[in-house]
Amino acid sequence: DAGVIQSPRHEVTEMGQEVTLRCKPISGHNSLFWYRQTMMRGLELLIYFNNNVPIDDSGMPEDRFSAKMPNASFSTLKIQPSEPRDSAVYFCASSRDGNSPLHFGNGTRLTVT
Amino acid sequence: SQKIEQNSEALNIQEGKTATLTCNYTNYSPAYLQWYRQDPGRGPVFLLLIRENEKEKRKERLKVTFDTTLKQSLFHITASQPADSATYLCALENSGYALNFGKGTSLLVTP
């Protein structure tokens, strides 16, 4: 079991650029979550997918953020245009179902200058 | 508003002692509570889950208690080791699927 795989591990970009973060969940897991972690706010839930369908995106900060899950083995989180305040570590997590423990990837550290 | 509070100050203890971490919450009625460990540069790793009808859960050197009246969970590591040094996060169930996390407490175990 390779675990949840995220790419890239680090991303440095300039303000205004588009950023795409990628996630491959654990095979057989039907729930996928995107979280953002900062020192100030801790881990914040951005969006939750169940069976590839977005169920709750109330945590997505603005229209600049969008997430997709075209199939059970791939999800993306896109920020367009990026801003310095988007700098954070973005985690993807999957679980067997919405009530099971989460398996996290090792995150993407995003720096927007 | 909903709050999950964990001690923001790092906990320093000597190897072999018991570490006790606290998680307090307000305006939640969680069906379950989970504890995770996070090492620098890594994602959180699940440790234990305790349900609202359970008072205590154990796994090897770990013990979790859950008091829904006090709205508090305690996380204990007995016979602590330097390898236990990490940040520990509590997480509460919300809305049936979402997990809301505390900011975590950093534990440092010194030889």
Side-chain angles (χ1 to χ4, degrees), chain A residues 9 33 35 37 39-43 45 48 55-56 91 98-106, chain B residues 32 34 36 38 41-46 49 51 89 93 95-103:
Chain A
R9 284 283 278 143
F33 304 79
Y35 281 86
Q37 187 174 40
M39 289 290 290
M40 285 291 292
R41 301 172 70 94
L43 266 170
L45 177 63
Y48 161 57
I55 303 299
D56 183 356
F91 286 103
N99 291 313
S100 298
L102 301 186
H103 297 255
F104 283 82
N106 282 327
Chain B
Y32 54 82
Q34 301 182 21
Y36 288 76
Q38 187 173 23
R42 309 295 293 269
V45 175
F46 170 74
L49 181 153
R51 301 189 185 281
L89 305 164
E93 171 270 338
S95 305
Y97 55 83
L99 270 186
N100 289 0
F101 284 81
K103 290 184 182 178

Side-chain angles (χ1 to χ4, degrees), chain A residues 5-12 18-24 34-36 46 65-68 74-79 86 88-92 107-111:
Chain A
I5 300 172
Q6 292 186 246
S7 64
R9 284 283 278 143
H10 302 274
E11 177 79 42
V12 180
E18 177 180 298
V19 175
T20 299
L21 311 181
R22 296 172 175 78
C23 174
K24 177 178 168 54
W34 283 99
Y35 281 86
R36 177 171 69 176
L46 300 178
F65 285 69
S66 62
K68 293 183 180 179
F74 186 63
S75 177
T76 59
L77 177 67
K78 186 178 292 187
I79 308 173
D86 301 331
V89 181
Y90 291 80
F91 286 103
C92 173
T108 295
R109 180 173 294 277
L110 174 64
T111 303

Side-chain angles (χ1 to χ4, degrees), chain B residues 21-53:
Chain B
L21 285 69
T22 304
C23 176
N24 294 301
Y25 59 92
T26 54
N27 294 321
Y28 280 96
S29 297
Y32 54 82
L33 182 151
Q34 301 182 21
W35 283 88
Y36 288 76
R37 168 184 172 142
Q38 187 173 23
D39 291 285
R42 309 295 293 269
V45 175
F46 170 74
L47 296 174
L48 279 169
L49 181 153
I50 185 165
R51 301 189 185 281
E52 60 178 337
N53 60 347

Side-chain angles (χ1 to χ4, degrees), chain B:
Chain B
S1 63
Q2 293 179 319
K3 285 185 183 178
I4 302 172
E5 294 178 327
Q6 295 187 254
N7 196 338
S8 59
E9 288 186 17
L11 178 63
N12 294 338
I13 65 167
Q14 200 172 15
E15 182 176 9
K17 303 291 186 185
T18 295
T20 298
L21 285 69
T22 304
C23 176
N24 294 301
Y25 59 92
T26 54
N27 294 321
Y28 280 96
S29 297
Y32 54 82
L33 182 151
Q34 301 182 21
W35 283 88
Y36 288 76
R37 168 184 172 142
Q38 187 173 23
D39 291 285
R42 309 295 293 269
V45 175
F46 170 74
L47 296 174
L48 279 169
L49 181 153
I50 185 165
R51 301 189 185 281
E52 60 178 337
N53 60 347
E54 298 175 314
K55 295 293 185 188
E56 182 179 297
K57 202 82 168 280
R58 291 175 186 261
K59 179 183 176 183
E60 297 172 354
R61 295 184 296 111
L62 309 181
K63 185 178 86 171
V64 172
T65 62
F66 191 12
D67 190 324
T68 55
T69 301
L70 287 179
K71 296 188 182 299
Q72 180 182 78
S73 175
L74 298 178
F75 177 80
H76 306 272
I77 306 175
T78 58
S80 60
Q81 305 166 0
D84 295 327
S85 299
T87 296
Y88 291 86
L89 305 164
C90 75
L92 272 62
E93 171 270 338
N94 191 27
S95 305
Y97 55 83
L99 270 186
N100 289 0
F101 284 81
K103 290 184 182 178
T105 298
S106 177
L107 172 67
L108 178 62
V109 181
T110 54

